[in-house]
Amino acid sequence: QPEVVREGIAGYSITPGYLETMSIRLVAGRDIERLDGPDAEPVALVNETFVRTQLEGRDPIDLVVRHAGEGDERSIRIVGVVGDVVQTSADEGPRPAVYMPYTQAHWPWVQAVVRTDLPPETILPELRKAVARFNPVVPPTDVRTMTDRMATTRVTPRFQTMLIGAFALVALLLAATGLYGSLAHSVGRRERELGVRMALGAERIGVLRMVLGQGMKVALPGLVIGMVGTFWSTRVLSGVLYGVEPNDPLTLSGVALILFAVSVAACVLPARRATTVDPVRVLKSE
């Protein structure tokens, strides 16, 4: 029998219907049933991370494992595999988890889970009455929605994301300001040249394209270098990402489009200024 040590493994004592209430998918095998009572054979569900890390990917259904640790040692038959869920925090990710019937694994505290489409405050009185029928002495005090509970696990990643986002916005503004300033300075120095070109018949749209092309020759290599650097730096940022792949094509494409749009906007104003050069004034100054 494979030996499973409790250290590093999340344990849950559940009742029938828990998986459906929490929208945890059953990957293989069966769910916990009412027949899994205290006198029945000890059974358990495990998650996909448990199968991968503890059982080395072997077929877990009907596999009997020895649950050892803290002075308690017994054999448990695995009857089902469930999908991974976040147990503690989003940045930590899913841990190996074991789900045992409440009738076979009593825990000193109980958390009731209710699934509803109604606002929590409207059903709270009924929830308190239902709990009081089982234990009128200890009233339920910590009643929160799953959204609120998940929010507490994302405080640090959210702060880190906001901080990185703020620095990224400042960097974007500095880059756009620098590109605008550089191109505007170039247009100012080339004012006479542009005036002569227009006096000799150059069209304004041609001058606009020339100045825009000059600016984009600076911006496009920067975009390419930035995208390459993004692929290499995602390993560092993967710890603060949740629900999105580090090299998600849609996200990278959106960021590239935003940067391209900012680059074009930074080049448009100096380019339009170049088309307003008065050829007559420039020739008189010569």
Side-chain angles (χ1 to χ4, degrees):
Q1 296 178 358
E3 180 176 326
V4 177
V5 181
R6 288 182 181 175
E7 184 179 355
I9 297 178
Y12 297 91
S13 180
I14 65 174
T15 57
Y18 175 83
L19 298 183
E20 182 180 359
T21 303
M22 295 295 291
S23 297
I24 301 176
R25 60 190 179 93
L26 183 65
V27 178
R30 67 171 178 86
D31 196 354
I32 297 297
E33 300 176 351
R34 297 187 182 276
L35 296 178
D36 298 319
D39 298 328
E41 179 186 19
V43 296
L45 308 175
V46 297
N47 66 350
E48 294 174 303
T49 300
F50 183 97
V51 177
R52 185 175 60 256
T53 60
Q54 302 294 317
L55 303 179
E56 299 178 351
R58 76 180 77 176
D59 185 10
I61 303 301
D62 286 333
L63 182 66
V64 178
V65 298
R66 188 161 54 89
H67 197 212
E70 300 180 5
D72 181 18
E73 183 175 322
R74 54 178 170 166
S75 297
I76 300 177
R77 183 178 298 276
I78 299 176
V79 296
V81 179
V82 300
D84 288 333
V85 295
V86 175
Q87 289 97 4
T88 306
S89 61
D91 55 337
E92 179 183 300
R95 292 186 296 161
V98 178
Y99 300 80
M100 294 171 286
Y102 179 74
T103 51
Q104 297 180 355
H106 293 287
W107 283 19
W109 63 88
V110 176
Q111 290 182 328
V113 181
V114 178
R115 187 181 186 90
T116 178
D117 295 328
L118 301 175
E121 58 273 9
T122 60
I123 65 170
L124 186 57
E126 295 299 326
L127 286 178
R128 295 186 184 278
K129 292 179 181 179
V131 174
R133 288 198 295 267
F134 293 93
N135 192 336
V137 179
V138 182
T141 55
D142 187 15
V143 181
R144 289 184 294 171
T145 64
M146 185 57 65
T147 302
D148 293 337
R149 291 185 178 275
M150 290 300 296
T152 60
T153 69
R154 298 176 181 173
V155 173
T156 301
R158 186 175 297 169
F159 174 76
Q160 293 174 344
T161 302
M162 292 177 60
L163 191 62
I164 293 175
F167 282 124
L169 181 60
V170 172
L172 179 62
L173 292 176
L174 289 176
T177 303
L179 182 61
Y180 167 80
S182 175
L183 198 57
H185 179 68
S186 175
V187 170
R189 294 186 60 184
R190 298 177 62 188
E191 185 176 0
R192 293 181 180 179
E193 173 198 342
L194 296 175
V196 171
R197 286 176 179 270
M198 296 178 67
L200 295 177
E203 296 183 357
R204 295 183 182 275
I205 187 66
V207 174
L208 181 67
R209 290 175 180 173
M210 180 183 66
V211 177
L212 275 176
Q214 177 185 349
M216 296 312 295
K217 284 181 181 179
V218 177
L220 289 179
L223 285 175
V224 174
I225 295 173
M227 295 300 291
V228 173
T230 299
F231 280 102
W232 286 99
S233 63
T234 47
R235 295 181 180 179
V236 180
L237 299 176
S238 59
V240 297
L241 298 178
Y242 178 70
V244 62
E245 295 296 328
N247 291 324
D248 179 58
L250 184 61
T251 302
L252 293 179
S253 300
V255 172
L257 287 176
I258 292 175
L259 293 176
F260 181 78
V262 170
S263 301
V264 172
C267 297
V268 164
L269 291 178
R272 291 188 62 183
R273 177 186 169 188
T275 62
T276 61
V277 174
D278 186 4
V280 177
R281 182 178 60 82
V282 171
L283 292 178
K284 285 183 177 180
S285 65
E286 292 290 333

